[in-house]
Structures are given as C-alpha cells and as structure tokens.
Amino acid sequence: MDSQAFYRRSIDDPEGFWGDQAKLIEWRRPPEKVLDYAHPPFRQWFVGGETNLCHNAVDRHLAARGEQPALIYLSSETGEERTYTYAELHREVNRCAAVLRALGVGKGERVVIYMPMIAEAVFCMLACARLGAVHSVVFGGFAAHNLALRIDDAKPCLLICADAGMRGGKPVPYKHLVDEAMREAKHAPPKVLIVDRGLDADMKWVDGRDEDYWDLRDEHRDAEVPVTWLEANEPSYILYTSGTTGKPKGVQRDVGGYAVALAASMRYIYGAQPGETMFTTSDIGWVVGHSYIVYGPLIHGMATIVYEGLPIKPDAGIWWKIVQDHKVSTMFSSPTAIRVLKKQDPAWLKKYDVSSLRYLFIAGEPLDEPTSRWITDGLGVPVIDHYWQTETGWAMLTLLPGVEMKPVKFGSPGFPAYGFDIRVVNEMTGAECGPNEKGVLTVKPPLPPGCLTTVWGDDQRFINSYFGQFEKELLYSSSDWALRDDDGYFFILGRTDDVINTAGHRLGTREIEEALQAHAAIAEVAVVGVQDELKGQVPIGFCTVKDPARIADATARALLEKECIAKVAELLGAVAKPYKLHFVNALPKTRSGKLLRRSIQALAEGRETGDLSTLDDPNALEEIRKAVKK
Ligand code: AMP
C-alpha cells in the first residue's frame, strides 16, 4: 500500500479512516459516532461505543489462543522464568481482579501501582482495567515524595506495591518508601496491597492497612470477575509526566481510542503478527511500558516479554539471548540502552541467532547517527527510530513497515504517523516553516485516538499546557524543536521548554530545583540539562547558599554537594540526581528577575550565550562560565 495515500486518508477523512480501524478491536456495543469535535481542543473518539481494555487484551484471545504464550516473565536478577498462556493470564487476572474488588476497587476508582518489573504488576494493571478502575503506575525508581505527590493528585482507594525490586543483583526495598509516602500524602488510601517477593526480610507490615497479595489470591483462586464495560471515552489510566512546573501532570487516557490506536499501531507501525513475540525493554512505569509491554502486544494477540534486569547482566548478550530463545520478532528499546551496549564488546551482537527479529524500534530521546549505524550493522536488522511522548501514547513520527517500508534515514524518526496532522511552525508567529527551517513541532487538532484526553482533574491545564502557545491557530505543541528536510523526513532538535530528557526519562528542571531548595543551606538554584555522551542529557545545578561558610573551602563544598544530591535522591529518586552542583555567589537573571536558564545551559555545554541585553548582573554569568570551566 502507498504509505502517503494511507496517511492522507487519515487526515482528509478521519472518520472513515478511524471507523475502519475500530474494527480491529471488540466492542460490546459499537460506537454511534466516530468523532465528536464539538468542543475543541477536547475531542471524543468512538462515542457511545462500549468496550474494555482487559477484554481486548486477554478474554478476546481465549478461544483462538488460549494455549499460546501471552506473558513471558524473565528476571536475570532472580533467575526466575515463567510463561503464562492466555488462559493462564486470564486466570491470574481474574484472581487479581477479585482481590482488588474485595479491597473496594470499583469502576472509576483510582489505584496507584508502585512495582518493579514482575508479572504481578501486569496482572494488577489488567485487573484494574477489567474492573473499570483507573490505574496510575508510578515508576519504581521514584522516591517517596514523588509517590506522595502522585497519590495526592490521583486520590486512589488502593496502593499496590512489592516489598522490593532488584537491580544489579541487589534488592532495592520499596515498602519503606511507600510507608514514607503514605505518611506524607494528604490523600493516602486506606489499604496497601503488597506482593511480597521475600526480598526484604526487614519489611514492616502495618496492621489493618497492609494486605498480603498471596493470601488474598489464595482466597480468590477460582474467582471469575466479569468485565466492566466502559464507554469509549471513560478514563483507563493516568500516567504522570514532568512538565515545566514542579507539579507533575496526570496524562489521562481513554479506553476505546487507546485500544484502537494500539491495535492499529501493532499492524502498521510495528508490522507484527498475532502469535509472535514482542520484547520491549522499557519499564511499566513509563508510557512505552504501558503501550508496548502491556496493552499493545496483548491486544494484538502476541506474547509479550516482561524483563527484570539490566542489558549487560549477566553479560552484554542477555537481550540477544532472549531474542533467540523466544524467537522475538519485534523489539523496542531506547538510545541510552543501545549506547550502554556500544561500550561493550561488539561480538555480543553476533553471538546469538537473532534471525527471528524483523525490526528493532527505538524511541524516547534522539538516536544519534553513530549509535544507529553501530546497532544496525551489528545486528543486521533494520533499526527504526520513532518519536512520541507520554501524551500521545503511540508514535507521532515513524516509518510504517506494516504499510510500506520507506528507506531509513539515520538520525531521523521518519514521517508523520497516520492521524497526526503535523506542522513545524515558527515559535513566535505560528506560521508554517519551510523545508530545513527549524520550528516547533505541533499537531493540528483533533488529536488522533490514543492521545491524552485531558490532564487528570485539570481541563484548564490541558488547554494551557498544550494548546495555548499560538494565537494564529489552535495547535497542540509538543514542546520539541524539529525540522523537515527536502525529502519530507523529520528531525527532532531538542526541547523548547525546561524539561530534561535523561536516558529517555523526562525530568522537570523545576522539580529538581524544588528538591535542592529543600536543603536548608540552599538559597537559590538553577538546574539545566547538559549534553551527555551516554544519557543524552544530564541535570547540572547551580546554587547560591544562605551562609558562605558552607562553601568556604573545597572540603566544605564537596560535603554540601553530596548532601544536596542526596536530598534530591531522597525526594525524587536516583533518576533525578544532578550530575554536578556548582556553588556560585549569584545566578544570572533578567532585570525583571527571571532566571536565564538558556544562557546557563549554553555555558554549561561550552556554547556561547546569545543575546544578553536583558541581563541584570554580568558578573553572575562570568561566575557560571568560570565554574563550568574548572
Ligand atoms: P516522554 O513523554 O517521557 O516519553 O518524553 C517525550 C520526549 O522525549 C519528547 O518530547 C522528545 O523530547 C523525546 N523523544 C522521544 N522520542 C524521541 C525520538 N525518537 N527522537 C528524539 N526525541 C525523542
């Protein structure tokens, strides 16, 4: 099929196009109307249709694929390997749904899931979907304060956690962080359900609040829990992501549109077939995990691999061994992970038979050309970079091997995906840019199915954050710089806002600044993202202190730096730790008092600062220049 014609139809006739795609999933009641766009920028897809994500991911396959593997759990940390067929997955999800129901979870209730990469985490997500409850998975690497913020926003009736995760052969206890978050949160749920893996012998149970998953699962061994049918636009989940303020945004997703978008993407973008195996190396705490570890492959009738472990333990061949052993056809990973592998012996790429692999997809951050070439040549498999965001739930820019495979251009995530009317526009005027002209990547609404429907509990924030940038026209702003070349290939050139992308994880500079300010010695702080060979970007902080004695000499500075970094780890988790803190006497600001973050970032990356006509105190900038040179 001609991919250009396919794309054009999705833009020119969205109702016809998506009406056809709706047939890829099962509906209890078919939609009455494909698109309702009466209240821009809000839109509703598949209005009046009734369906359920768990039904489409599990029950629907029982007849044809009951004995086929659905979920393959592999942990190189504990050595566990378990395969669940669709019939077994169905049993586990029913048990889990019965447990949740007994703990008061019902339609529309929120459940926060704070878990490592274990099969039970997936059962819990699917059980929530089955009950019509709204899950909010919080990445297991986040610390107590981050968890508390999310609890207070989602106001869950239940929190589910494990005793511990495992990383690099060591248990990483979770439960004490949960206890801390429960103490900090104003809307702490009455119950905590714990999947005890036996990894944390010191774990304390709170009487009357904490429940043991294994005990309750036994009680509900034979339970059957009917699917709760939901109108297509009811919420399925909330996933928090960092924005430009200190308060994370709850990206809210629907049921019908999301299911249809994922089903379509499995065909057209991933070119995958039911019965095959998908291996996505992300984490269920991120959007990639939601869409392509859990819902996408299962909706498509594939087996999905849930892998707990690092890419280089026990050795740098582990991923390719998994591909060989499980005949993985479709793999999805991140640039940082590939750069980690690039530091290892390239012979690992050749040690196992990866001939089952059709494509390796990459997303999350820019994939630099050398890394892309290295992995393409090493594996002998096409590597497809595709670009998307937590907000969109699936790719906005990609190649479409399931429709027509266009040549890969290194460094480019391809073309606009069907359904996304993408424009690169001038930052100030909103006028469309010509070829090779840098502008902001935007989408002319309505956003296609699968994208966020709003910000949880805050419609105004949805409008302001995403649609408020241009006066000329209503446009969704991705907050990414981009350009389109003469051949129509797109290139992503970094964020337009104060968000850092470190190892594919989005961090708000405001969040890190607030955490640093929580240290009593700190007066003012600016955090910027600085280019890093391995992780794409890393956070670097510049601080002023209340008492100069704290930075009187090198030893005092080093001690304070350590304390401050520990504070960030304590409040936000290790992912957000600044790489380096510089202590200065003043931060560069405009005369109106706004921090000149862009200039600080430029200096920190060894670039020049550009226009500084509004700078209040030139010495402040000089100090930054000196600090980063040291
Ligand atoms: P997140 O919502 O955390 O997945 O982060 C989304 C952001 O990651 C985007 O706005 C981009 O800045 C960046 N990103 C994701 N995929 C790509 C890609 N393929 N190339 C370049 N940047 C990407």
Side-chain angles (χ1 to χ4, degrees):
M1 208 188 312
D2 174 356
S3 57
Q4 190 53 28
F6 187 78
Y7 175 76
R8 277 286 16 126
R9 179 170 179 238
S10 76
I11 302 302
D12 298 341
D13 176 20
E15 298 197 48
F17 180 90
W18 288 109
D20 284 351
Q21 307 314 323
K23 296 179 192 131
L24 295 173
I25 68 156
E26 272 187 11
W27 299 87
R28 167 77 163 190
R29 230 170 75 109
E32 287 155 17
K33 198 169 179 226
V34 175
L35 171 64
D36 176 350
Y37 191 45
H39 305 286
F42 298 92
R43 88 292 180 217
Q44 297 209 314
W45 288 98
F46 311 118
V47 182
E50 281 179 10
T51 187
N52 179 287
L53 280 174
C54 181
H55 171 83
N56 275 286
V58 185
D59 301 46
R60 178 191 176 191
H61 303 301
L62 289 177
R65 324 187 163 274
E67 300 315 310
Q68 179 202 298
L71 192 157
I72 302 167
Y73 169 59
L74 305 172
S75 174
S76 62
E77 297 284 352
T78 63
E80 274 171 282
E81 278 204 37
R82 275 180 275 147
T83 296
Y84 299 84
T85 62
Y86 270 99
E88 287 163 342
L89 178 62
H90 182 253
R91 276 258 41 88
E92 288 298 343
V93 171
N94 270 280
R95 285 171 187 150
C96 184
V99 170
L100 301 194
R101 191 174 56 182
L103 294 174
V105 176
K107 183 179 163 185
E109 300 279 359
R110 275 80 58 212
V111 175
V112 166
I113 299 177
Y114 182 64
M115 298 254 251
M117 286 287 288
I118 55 176
E120 286 72 21
V122 179
F123 303 156
C124 291
M125 291 169 75
L126 291 167
C128 286
R130 189 171 196 84
L131 294 166
V134 178
H135 60 66
S136 183
V137 182
V138 176
F139 175 57
F142 281 146
H145 172 66
N146 249 329
L147 181 58
L149 281 178
R150 286 154 174 77
I151 291 173
D152 279 342
D153 196 68
K155 303 187 181 64
C157 71
L158 177 70
L159 188 148
I160 312 176
C161 70
D163 58 335
M166 287 278 286
R167 203 175 154 79
K170 287 198 209 84
V172 183
Y174 279 34
K175 173 59 170 37
H176 73 101
L177 298 174
V178 168
D179 292 339
E180 233 178 286
M182 292 286 285
R183 277 194 294 275
E184 183 185 330
K186 291 186 201 72
H187 297 279
K191 290 282 178 194
V192 174
L193 178 63
I194 301 156
V195 177
D196 186 1
R197 308 173 74 191
L199 295 175
D200 180 8
D202 299 329
M203 182 171 67
K204 307 256 181 326
W205 294 76
V206 176
D207 271 353
R209 187 196 75 182
D210 294 353
E211 301 281 349
D212 184 301
Y213 180 74
W214 302 119
D215 286 351
L216 292 176
R217 176 180 170 273
D218 274 350
E219 275 177 35
H220 296 278
R221 276 201 84 74
D222 304 314
E224 301 256 345
V225 177
V227 157
T228 301
W229 300 103
L230 299 171
E231 200 276 336
N233 294 281
E234 291 189 79
S236 58
Y237 69 74
I238 310 167
L239 183 55
Y240 288 90
T241 187
S242 295
T244 47
T245 68
K247 189 173 179 264
K249 278 188 283 219
V251 164
Q252 180 179 321
R253 201 148 268 136
D254 63 9
V255 177
Y258 188 51
V260 171
L262 292 184
S265 72
M266 293 310 303
R267 278 193 172 199
Y268 309 128
I269 297 178
Y270 300 99
Q273 300 294 328
E276 295 179 347
T277 303
M278 182 158 191
F279 177 22
T280 299
T281 69
S282 182
D283 186 286
I284 50 152
W286 311 119
V287 68
V288 175
H290 282 64
S291 292
Y292 297 111
I293 293 175
V294 184
Y295 292 112
L298 293 177
I299 287 173
H300 199 49
M302 297 177 80
T304 184
I305 290 181
V306 175
Y307 173 65
E308 179 183 50
L310 301 171
I312 49 169
K313 285 251 161 61
D315 57 53
I318 179 68
W319 281 3
W320 319 116
K321 182 172 183 317
I322 292 173
V323 169
Q324 171 185 280
D325 291 354
H326 299 277
K327 300 205 169 35
V328 171
S329 71
T330 312
M331 192 166 164
F332 186 153
S333 191
S334 71
T336 292
I338 304 297
R339 286 193 290 261
V340 166
L341 293 177
K342 203 169 146 209
K343 296 193 162 209
Q344 311 288 320
D345 184 349
W348 286 113
L349 299 181
K350 298 282 181 220
K351 180 156 188 233
Y352 297 98
D353 175 8
V354 298
S355 57
S356 58
L357 200 58
R358 210 177 282 124
Y359 303 107
L360 169 62
F361 289 86
I362 301 282
E365 52 183 309
L367 176 63
D368 55 286
E369 195 175 325
T371 303
S372 187
R373 280 188 194 281
W374 178 82
I375 188 73
T376 306
D377 295 345
L379 279 182
V381 166
V383 173
I384 300 182
D385 179 15
H386 60 336
Y387 158 90
W388 49 298
Q389 309 185 298
T390 304
E391 286 82 352
T392 63
W394 59 288
M396 304 160 79
L397 295 173
T398 185
L399 299 181
L400 295 179
V403 180
E404 177 199 23
M405 185 63 183
K406 294 266 195 201
V408 169
K409 205 178 248 199
F410 289 106
S412 163
F415 308 100
Y418 51 90
F420 287 96
D421 189 355
I422 289 191
R423 318 268 167 99
V424 179
V425 302
N426 180 281
E427 180 195 13
M428 307 303 284
T429 63
E432 206 161 344
C433 295
N436 301 311
E437 204 184 315
K438 177 176 164 181
V440 182
L441 188 93
T442 65
V443 184
K444 187 171 159 51
L447 295 175
C451 295
L452 82 168
T453 49
T454 187
V455 171
W456 175 255
D458 201 343
D459 285 348
Q460 198 53 48
R461 195 168 177 203
F462 171 69
I463 300 172
N464 297 348
S465 311
Y466 300 109
F467 295 93
Q469 195 179 340
F470 304 101
E471 271 175 25
K472 190 168 173 277
E473 200 180 359
L474 190 65
L475 290 173
Y476 167 89
S477 171
S478 68
S479 299
D480 280 307
W481 296 111
L483 66 75
R484 185 168 43 91
D485 74 5
D486 291 322
D487 302 323
Y489 283 81
F490 280 68
F491 290 81
I492 298 295
L493 309 170
R495 297 281 304 188
T496 65
D497 58 10
D498 297 323
V499 163
I500 301 176
N501 190 325
T502 187
H505 306 152
R506 213 198 289 187
L507 302 170
T509 45
R510 281 299 315 149
E511 284 171 83
I512 305 175
E513 285 169 3
E514 282 175 19
L516 285 168
Q517 251 152 357
H519 190 291
I522 298 300
E524 276 192 304
V525 46
V527 170
V528 296
V530 173
Q531 270 187 5
D532 179 77
E533 207 186 300
L534 187 66
K535 298 190 167 182
Q537 275 190 314
V538 291
I540 304 263
F542 296 86
C543 311
T544 62
V545 292
K546 294 176 188 158
D547 173 8
R550 293 293 317 250
I551 52 167
D553 56 41
T555 320
R557 279 170 185 253
L559 179 67
L560 184 58
E561 181 180 9
K562 217 167 137 199
E563 282 177 26
C564 290
I565 292 177
K567 191 81 198 167
V568 177
E570 176 199 326
L571 293 177
L572 302 180
V575 274
K577 277 197 319 198
Y579 249 46
K580 173 94 198 112
L581 291 183
H582 298 284
F583 297 102
V584 289
N585 291 309
L587 292 172
K589 292 188 188 156
T590 61
R591 277 175 221 125
S592 57
K594 271 187 92 177
L595 262 179
L596 283 165
R597 243 187 269 260
R598 295 278 148 78
S599 310
I600 302 175
Q601 186 191 32
L603 291 178
E605 290 188 337
R607 291 182 284 115
E608 262 324 303
T609 50
D611 176 32
L612 287 175
S613 48
T614 56
L615 179 67
D616 186 35
D617 170 12
N619 291 331
L621 213 57
E622 272 318 300
E623 236 197 309
I624 301 272
R625 202 189 295 271
K626 276 193 205 130
V628 296
K629 273 212 177 117
K630 267 185 207 156

